[in-house]
Structures are given as C-alpha cells and as structure tokens.
Amino acid sequence: MPKKVVKTESEWREHLDADQYAVCREAATERPFSGRYADCKDPGTYRCVACSNELFRSDEKFDSGSGWPSFWAPASEDALESTSDSSHGMVRIEVRCSRCEAHLGHVFPDGPAPTGQRYCINSVALDLELATPLDDGSE
C-alpha cells in the first residue's frame, strides 16, 4: 500500500490549480470531450496530478466514446480506492487515488475484456508521464 499523502485544504489549494482542486478535492467532473487525455494515444504512465501515484498505463486505455479517458484496469491492485457514490440521483462506484484520496472518476461494469471494467477518469486528475524510447545504442 502506498504511503498516504496528507495535506490541509489550504496546502491542496496551493498545490493544485482551480480545475484540479475542484475535481480532486471537491469531486467535480470535467465536461465530456474537454479533457486533454480524452483522445490521447501517447504511450506512458498516468499518474495522480495531486501526488504522482501511478494509477493507469496507456496499455490499458481504450476509446469508450464517453468523452473521458477510460481504462480497463488500474496500474496495480492498490493504486485505487473505491466507494459507493449516490450523488446526482445515481448509484455509482467512485474511484479515488489510494495515496492522497483525490477523486478521479468512476468505474462501471461495461468495459472490454479481460476485466469488463471501464474506469472513467477526469483528465484534469491525471498527469501523463510519457514513455521514453529504449536506447538502442545507435547514434
């Protein structure tokens, strides 16, 4: 289990921009198709924007058509925490970063094989660490 990151709300406000704070600390949702990673195909690792915890890998990303980055599995079993969310007249499963408890999005049981899960995540809660090409020794 990752070591927990604990900050005051004032410290979170200093660390995150207004949109990141609204999503990560107040469980807001960005508009569909507005996030920078919704259509991103770049290889790499998606980390929590609040604490840099490894959350998802581009290998598990797929185009769900929902307007948000979607993944069929997290990077590891302990990357996320989930809880029931009955806001907005719906019952959903909310996913949060297991390290800092930042709100990321929700998980739905309508994803592709092999898990059948769709982790629907706000772009603003993510930071993509691009994969670096392997050094093949050529110059």
Side-chain angles (χ1 to χ4, degrees), residues 27 81-85 92-96 103-107:
E81 294 178 347
S82 62
T83 186
S84 181
D85 174 9
R92 304 174 288 176
I93 303 296
E94 176 188 19
V95 289
R96 291 183 172 267
H103 169 79
L104 304 170
H106 295 86
V107 61

Side-chain angles (χ1 to χ4, degrees), residues 85-128:
D85 174 9
S86 59
S87 64
H88 307 290
M90 299 177 275
V91 177
R92 304 174 288 176
I93 303 296
E94 176 188 19
V95 289
R96 291 183 172 267
C97 173
S98 64
R99 189 164 178 237
C100 70
E101 299 181 356
H103 169 79
L104 304 170
H106 295 86
V107 61
F108 302 96
D110 60 2
T115 65
Q117 301 295 302
R118 174 174 55 98
Y119 291 85
C120 190
I121 307 299
N122 290 284
S123 285
V124 74
L126 300 172
D127 186 24
L128 176 59

